[in-house]
Amino acid sequence: MSAPTVAFKAGRLFRRGDTNWVDPQPEKGVVLVTATEDGLIQWQWKNRTTNALDEDLLIFPSDTTFSQVAQSAWGRTYVLAFSSSDQKHFYWLQDASSARDDQIVHNVNGVLQDASFEPTWSTPAASSSSTAAAGSSRDDTLRRLREILTRGGSASGAGLTVEPPSVALSDVLTPANLAPIFADEALARSLFPFLPADLPSPPTPATLQQVVSSPQFQAAVRELDRALSTGLLADLVRGLGLPASAGESAEAFIRAVAEQAGNGGEERMDTD
Amino acid sequence: MSGDDDSSGWQLTESDPGVFSELLRTLGVPLVVDELWSMDPDGLAILQPISAFIFLFKYVAGSSDASGGAGGAFDPDFPGFFAHQTVNNACATLAVVNALGNIDTEMGKDIKDTLEFARELDPQSRGMVLVSSLFLREAHNALSPPSVISLDGLNLPKRTEDAYHFVVYLPVAGSLYELDGLKPHAVRHAPVPSSGDWTGVAAETIQARIATYPPGAIHFSLMAVRPDPLPMLQAQLVANPTDEVLLARMAQEEEKRQRWAFENALRKANHLPLIHALVGALAKSGGLDAAVAGAKEKMRQRRARGQDMDED
């Protein structure tokens, strides 16, 4: 027999009596989808522990589809459904990572339509941190940064700063340094729009003080310092209306923000 | 807690009662989590009824917690819900779900269905089902900074990060059980009284465990999972609007919720715009030069002392 076109780890689910409820079976298994010589599709489920071939079906092309069961809260339950009958076979994906789920489903359906289908597999993407973010440019930036840094080489164009930072934002944005700003009513009010939108009560200067003293804010500043020390935040800072050079270091960031605030006439900061 | 773990999209979160309580709220569960400062019966009395304890501890370099403290026996036939931890960053949420799987409480449809789905599976498969649950991962990630600032995964040099481990203690089928996602099975400890208070037995067991560690070897804290007292307090206050004790407790609970809401808002926020605005405000107020000069001096001194900037 020829090698399977698609194989994927899966468990089975069986209908409970006459109900619409399906119960997952704990056995670890694998689904093997193979094209036969006469253009049909062989669908097999093998128990990975006992090696028993517990399901062995011969399917006509275009007679079946493999689709996600929408009602499953868990999200990785699929059904092999027949158009020629009411037959339904349920499976739950057992690959530890769901990164390949879409490709598995795409390729399985390809073979189910046409036994001569050639599956395509792209190398699994590095796990993205959040599916909720709809591909915003900031997430793209982060992906590019990850790629640059994991490749280990220096990116063309962007310099990988190896100089240690001369100044840390977390030493600049201390509650002590910021207190005079919060005491200035107009200046304090101008900062309210930048506070988190879902604070439990309307902001006051005291809120500003609380926020900048909070472990969460201080952790964020430290993270930004660490990121700025990579010298690669050009795109990120452009999003703030700053020149790309502002992403090269904490000092460059501070200088650029100061200029942006309209203090071009101020004494320039020493460069070390 | 290897840094080479595939975090599979689970972000590192803080382990704080406010974070846990918010997670439970997101999952539609009317339970809250409170930090405990002691396990003496009087201290626990105010919080009763308690559904579960969560024992968190952080390994300190040089110590080992291989067996996880003395006592108890592995129970491969544990009748309740127990899932393995398969992703490090998910450990807090996994502990919560292990608890939920054994507590009789209302819960939202998604978590209810997922627990049902996973109930018949083995602990390893259950763990996998949980970490590949999109809604659970989103609920978990919602409580950490958005990816713009949280630059986890950029291979920045590792800082000393809190590597907390979470263990759940609760009563199931007449015994005190310990659910540790890194152990192969649930661990059965002493029997608990069928009616009445199980927390005394739990307190003894946990204190015995703590006593096995040399002083200073681990940092730990203890949390109690219990039904949200607010609805009951509110009902009681309607009947007794001037009851001092009730009013005080109500005020205490509300102050705590406010604090949690504030902290959670800060956790979820992208602070970059505020940081940017603060630097600009410092510039406008004329205080930036002095602040930067002072900061540079601090940096020079740190370098001279040979300290790594990232030490907290």
Side-chain angles (χ1 to χ4, degrees), chain A residues 48-120:
Chain A
R48 276 186 279 141
T49 316
T50 65
N51 259 329
L53 197 59
D54 287 339
E55 263 176 33
D56 198 346
L57 317 168
L58 214 47
I59 300 177
F60 285 94
S62 304
D63 191 28
T64 57
T65 52
F66 188 66
S67 36
Q68 194 173 34
V69 176
Q71 297 90 328
S72 160
W74 176 52
R76 295 179 79 199
T77 307
Y78 291 82
V79 59
L80 177 73
F82 287 73
S83 48
S84 57
S85 72
D86 273 341
Q87 251 193 96
K88 286 185 169 51
H89 296 253
F90 294 87
Y91 301 92
W92 56 284
L93 300 188
Q94 287 179 331
D95 232 310
S97 156
S98 52
R100 286 195 331 152
D101 284 6
D102 287 343
Q103 288 186 70
I104 290 174
V105 173
H106 171 79
N107 285 320
V108 165
N109 278 308
V111 184
L112 292 175
Q113 288 303 299
D114 175 357
S116 61
F117 176 82
E118 303 256 354
T120 47

Side-chain angles (χ1 to χ4, degrees), chain A residues 119-163:
Chain A
T120 47
W121 301 102
S122 55
T123 37
S127 61
S128 55
S129 55
S130 163
T131 48
S136 70
S137 63
R138 280 178 182 173
D139 284 342
D140 287 343
T141 308
L142 238 33
R143 258 196 290 280
R144 267 203 296 272
L145 281 178
R146 264 188 218 111
E147 281 162 26
I148 292 169
L149 286 171
T150 52
R151 270 208 299 273
S154 52
S156 57
L160 259 172
T161 304
V162 291
E163 286 165 34

Side-chain angles (χ1 to χ4, degrees), chain B residues 9-10 64 72-73 77 87 139 148-150 159-160 171 176 181 193 234 247 254 288-289 295 304 308:
Chain B
W10 288 77
S64 84
D77 300 316
V87 168
V148 172
I149 289 273
S150 162
R159 305 188 293 162
T160 45
L176 177 72
Q234 278 157 351
L247 285 167
E254 296 201 309
L288 185 58
D289 282 352
D308 182 321

Side-chain angles (χ1 to χ4, degrees), chain B residues 55-94:
Chain B
F55 177 62
L56 307 73
F57 56 98
K58 176 164 83 147
Y59 292 118
V60 169
S63 75
S64 84
D65 190 43
S67 68
F74 282 132
D75 185 357
D77 300 316
F78 175 55
F81 185 95
F82 172 62
H84 281 167
Q85 176 180 312
T86 59
V87 168
N88 272 350
N89 286 358
C91 48
T93 298
L94 183 93

Side-chain angles (χ1 to χ4, degrees), chain B residues 111-129:
Chain B
I111 183 68
K112 189 163 181 214
D113 285 351
T114 302
L115 286 173
E116 264 304 311
F117 178 93
R119 209 167 277 280
E120 297 308 312
L121 308 175
D122 66 279
Q124 181 70 13
S125 300
R126 280 191 200 124
M128 264 178 37
V129 165

Side-chain angles (χ1 to χ4, degrees), chain B residues 5-272:
Chain B
D5 251 348
D6 167 25
S7 62
S8 300
W10 288 77
Q11 292 175 27
L12 199 61
T13 55
E14 290 177 57
S15 49
D16 173 278
V19 171
F20 282 110
S21 298
E22 178 64 19
L23 177 67
L24 287 165
R25 199 191 61 82
T26 308
L27 296 177
V29 180
L31 300 175
V32 295
V33 178
D34 279 294
E35 184 135 30
L36 289 176
W37 306 108
S38 82
M39 288 195 90
D40 69 85
D42 292 333
L44 293 180
I46 318 177
L47 300 174
Q48 298 281 14
I50 296 177
S51 308
F53 290 112
I54 302 182
F55 177 62
L56 307 73
F57 56 98
K58 176 164 83 147
Y59 292 118
V60 169
S63 75
S64 84
D65 190 43
S67 68
F74 282 132
D75 185 357
D77 300 316
F78 175 55
F81 185 95
F82 172 62
H84 281 167
Q85 176 180 312
T86 59
V87 168
N88 272 350
N89 286 358
C91 48
T93 298
L94 183 93
V96 167
V97 176
N98 265 335
L100 285 179
N102 296 293
I103 296 174
D104 181 15
T105 174
E106 272 176 54
M107 52 181 86
K109 183 173 190 309
D110 281 346
I111 183 68
K112 189 163 181 214
D113 285 351
T114 302
L115 286 173
E116 264 304 311
F117 178 93
R119 209 167 277 280
E120 297 308 312
L121 308 175
D122 66 279
Q124 181 70 13
S125 300
R126 280 191 200 124
M128 264 178 37
V129 165
L130 294 177
V131 298
S132 51
S133 284
L134 288 180
F135 80 91
L136 197 56
R137 190 178 71 187
E138 279 173 13
H140 169 101
N141 287 343
L143 288 156
S144 59
S147 49
V148 172
I149 289 273
S150 162
L151 298 166
D152 216 43
L154 267 188
N155 289 340
L156 294 171
K158 269 289 172 195
R159 305 188 293 162
T160 45
E161 270 182 339
D162 287 350
Y164 272 104
H165 186 48
F166 300 78
V167 178
V168 174
Y169 287 88
L170 42 57
V172 179
S175 293
L176 177 72
Y177 274 91
E178 168 198 334
L179 305 180
D180 178 338
L182 292 182
K183 290 188 177 170
H185 304 289
V187 178
R188 187 175 61 241
H189 292 274
V192 294
S194 53
S195 61
D197 189 20
W198 66 278
T199 58
V201 174
E204 275 175 31
T205 308
I206 295 174
Q207 277 161 343
R209 176 178 190 153
I210 293 172
T212 68
Y213 301 117
I218 64 167
H219 297 154
F220 65 89
S221 67
L222 214 41
M223 303 206 266
V225 183
R226 61 188 183 118
D228 187 348
L230 269 183
M232 205 182 58
L233 278 175
Q234 278 157 351
Q236 284 174 329
L237 269 173
V238 165
N240 308 287
T242 54
D243 184 325
E244 296 276 345
V245 172
L246 285 178
L247 285 167
R249 288 189 59 194
M250 187 69 166
Q252 209 179 23
E253 285 292 329
E254 296 201 309
E255 184 270 334
K256 194 170 51 176
R257 307 305 160 100
Q258 277 268 48
R259 190 165 29 94
W260 286 348
F262 182 78
E263 288 164 5
N264 284 335
L266 290 185
R267 281 183 187 106
K268 299 186 213 184
N270 172 4
H271 294 279
L272 186 55

